[in-house]
């Protein structure tokens, strides 16, 4: 959905896309983020600070977006294709949507490490007292993410725990969480929709059951 949103208005972020994907950008990272802010993509001050502090050009994408499974590895730089800029737009939208939950000291579950960029941004936003638990079944993803964050933002490694396991298994050991970010791709749109509807149905049934029990208790 976020990737579709980033492609919906190709002219709106055209300059940002060119700058993000160019091997020799005409503008600095700070100027690109400022351009996104001027265009209304970045509205929150805290998201702006995170995007300025964490440079996405330093993160690499070892594989294309995949499901929670083993895949072939093709080492391409994060900023080597137009999709990288689309991903940057999606990352910013994600942080904007989660911003209220990413306050200082919050506990965050990141399902799908990917390049590690989102985890780094969220770790920056929750501060030294916060924690981000990042899961990914692909060991290479986590190794590259740890190496990148360790080299450029070593202080953030104290706030992020990386675990090599399926995103579908979750990580109840560190629960409860204030925010759960689902960054892992799913095999198909149908599966994603089915999973979302099923989760909503289960939640609704539990809520109705709780109400029923509450009213039955009141009668007694």
């Amino acid at each position: 959905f976020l990737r579709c949103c980033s492609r919906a208005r190709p002219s709106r972020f055209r300059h940002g896309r060119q700058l993000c994907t160019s091997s020799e950008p005409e503008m600095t990272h700070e100027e690109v983020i400022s351009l996104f802010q001027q265009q209304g993509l970045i509205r929150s001050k805290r998201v702006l600070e995170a995007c300025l502090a964490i440079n996405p050009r330093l993160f690499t994408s070892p594989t294309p977006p995949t499901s929670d499974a083993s895949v072939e590895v093709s080492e391409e730089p994060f900023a080597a294709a137009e999709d990288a800029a689309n991903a940057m737009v999606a990352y910013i939208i994600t942080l904007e949507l989660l911003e209220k939950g990413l306050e200082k000291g919050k506990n965050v579950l990141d399902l799908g490490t990917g390049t590690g960029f989102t985890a780094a941004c969220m770790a920056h936003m929750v501060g030294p007292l916060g924690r981000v638990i990042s899961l990914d079944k692909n060991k290479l993803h986590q190794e590259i993410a740890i190496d990148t964050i360790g080299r450029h933002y070593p202080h953030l490694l104290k706030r992020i725990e990386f675990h090599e396991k399926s995103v579908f298994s979750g990580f109840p050991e560190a629960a409860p969480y204030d925010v759960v970010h689902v960054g892992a791709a799913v095999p198909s749109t149908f599966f994603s929709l089915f999973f979302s509807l099923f989760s909503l149905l289960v939640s609704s049934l539990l809520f109705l059951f709780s109400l029923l029990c509450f009213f039955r208790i009141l009668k007694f």
Side-chain angles (χ1 to χ4, degrees), residues 150-211:
R151 282 187 290 114
H152 301 287
Y153 310 102
H155 64 288
L156 295 181
L157 285 181
K158 299 178 181 179
R159 311 175 192 177
I160 307 175
E161 292 183 18
F162 293 94
H163 296 275
E164 183 188 341
K165 61 183 305 185
S166 171
V167 298
F168 294 106
S169 64
F171 197 78
E173 294 89 334
Y177 297 100
D178 299 291
V179 171
V180 176
H181 167 244
V182 183
V186 293
S188 67
T189 304
F190 172 79
F191 181 81
S192 177
L193 180 60
F194 175 80
F195 184 78
S196 300
L197 292 176
F198 179 76
S199 300
L200 179 61
L201 177 62
V202 172
S203 301
S204 301
L205 291 175
L206 289 175
F207 177 72
L208 292 175
F209 179 74
S210 299
L211 283 180

Side-chain angles (χ1 to χ4, degrees), residues 104-116:
K104 302 295 183 182
K106 294 297 185 180
N107 192 32
V108 181
L109 177 62
D110 178 33
L111 298 178
T113 302
T115 64

